[in-house]
Amino acid sequence: MRMLCVLAVLVGANLLNNWLAPGAYVPTCVVAAATLLLIARWDGLTLADLGLDRAASYRGLRWAAILVGAVLAVFLAGLALPATREAFEDERAVGLTLGELLWRVLVRVPVGTVLLEEVAFRGVLWAMVRRRRGTAWATAVSSLLFGLWHVLPSRGLSRANEAAAVLGTGPAGSALPVVAAVVATTAAGVVLCELRRRSGSLLAPAALHWAVNGFGYVLAWGTGTSGRTGAAELLAAPLTFARGRGGPG
């Protein structure tokens, strides 16, 4: 029953963010995350189970510093190499002002995307399944649902990102990026779950998640395309949270 409640909250949030009310993205994510935490409490989960107790938070902060630095180094290397620079071009956010960029990096991504997705998939869902079926099942279920979560956000990817366009155009070309995004985000979910397990903290995967999305925005904007990086869409689409079709990321 409680697991069904979690799934219902996620389905509702996904539809609101990508179809019914994309303009209310951040409030929707905050309310959904809060609701999931209430369900977790109803299920008897503790802060330690969710990786949010004091000891876990201290560990997570140490992991976060290392992960954020590593992501920045990888992204800068990708931007410097001609072979991978094109992946940072995404027309959906061309023309962002500095204020819009800061909103996305400092509010929309951490308070919307990262908050909901980490609380949902590496926090509540992972802990609920782990208590019932063990760690392997928790990682598998959480990661698969994380991949499916990205079906709606990845529509139209081939039209917006040049790196994704190599998969083709037309019905088949439009479907392939969606399939690729689901596979990539499922794989990323496994990595994030393992990071959650090894660190014992929800802050560690949250930091990695924010770094991929946040630095993606900044570097793409800095190159003159002013949008979320294609790297975050293809290599790390896994970490790109629900976004309305053609709307702001």
Side-chain angles (χ1 to χ4, degrees):
M1 173 64 177
R2 280 159 286 196
M3 190 71 71
L4 290 177
C5 289
V6 170
L7 296 178
V9 170
L10 290 175
V11 169
N14 201 286
L15 290 174
L16 285 170
N17 286 339
N18 295 286
W19 184 26
L20 300 175
Y25 182 84
V26 172
T28 296
C29 289
V30 171
V31 171
T35 303
L36 291 173
L37 290 174
L38 289 175
I39 296 173
R41 183 173 181 179
W42 176 29
D43 195 53
L45 296 175
T46 65
L47 289 177
D49 293 327
L50 297 173
L52 291 172
D53 63 315
R54 180 176 298 182
S57 297
Y58 287 146
R59 290 194 302 272
L61 289 174
R62 292 195 294 270
W63 280 76
I66 297 171
L67 292 166
V68 169
V71 170
L72 180 58
V74 170
F75 271 30
L76 289 175
L79 189 63
L81 296 174
T84 55
R85 189 176 302 140
E86 186 180 86
F88 287 81
E89 299 177 4
D90 194 319
E91 70 180 22
R92 284 167 300 180
V94 169
L96 284 179
T97 65
L98 178 59
E100 290 170 334
L101 174 69
L102 292 175
W103 163 260
R104 283 161 174 74
V105 173
L106 301 179
V107 179
R108 183 181 175 89
V109 170
V111 181
T113 296
V114 174
L115 175 66
L116 175 55
E117 294 188 353
E118 293 310 316
V119 165
F121 297 102
R122 265 67 65 182
V124 176
L125 258 176
W126 192 79
M128 289 178 71
V129 177
R130 187 188 193 197
R131 191 171 66 177
R132 292 164 170 79
R133 301 296 299 273
T135 301
W137 270 94
T139 296
V141 171
S142 169
S143 300
L144 178 59
L145 291 176
F146 186 54
L148 294 175
W149 169 265
H150 289 83
V151 169
L152 291 181
S154 58
R155 295 175 304 160
L157 179 58
S158 62
R159 294 191 299 273
N161 182 265
E162 291 186 17
V166 300
L167 294 175
T169 58
S174 297
L176 285 176
V178 174
V179 174
V182 170
V183 172
T185 49
T186 298
V190 173
V191 172
L192 291 171
C193 285
E194 180 61 12
L195 184 57
R196 161 73 178 87
R197 184 189 70 82
R198 287 178 177 272
S199 68
S201 173
L202 195 60
L203 295 183
L208 178 60
H209 196 155
W210 174 82
V212 169
N213 284 272
F215 289 145
Y217 268 122
V218 172
L219 294 180
W221 184 82
T223 62
T225 59
S226 302
R228 173 175 295 171
T229 76
E233 293 293 354
L234 294 178
L235 305 177
L239 311 180
T240 303
F241 285 133
R243 172 183 71 252
R245 182 177 184 178

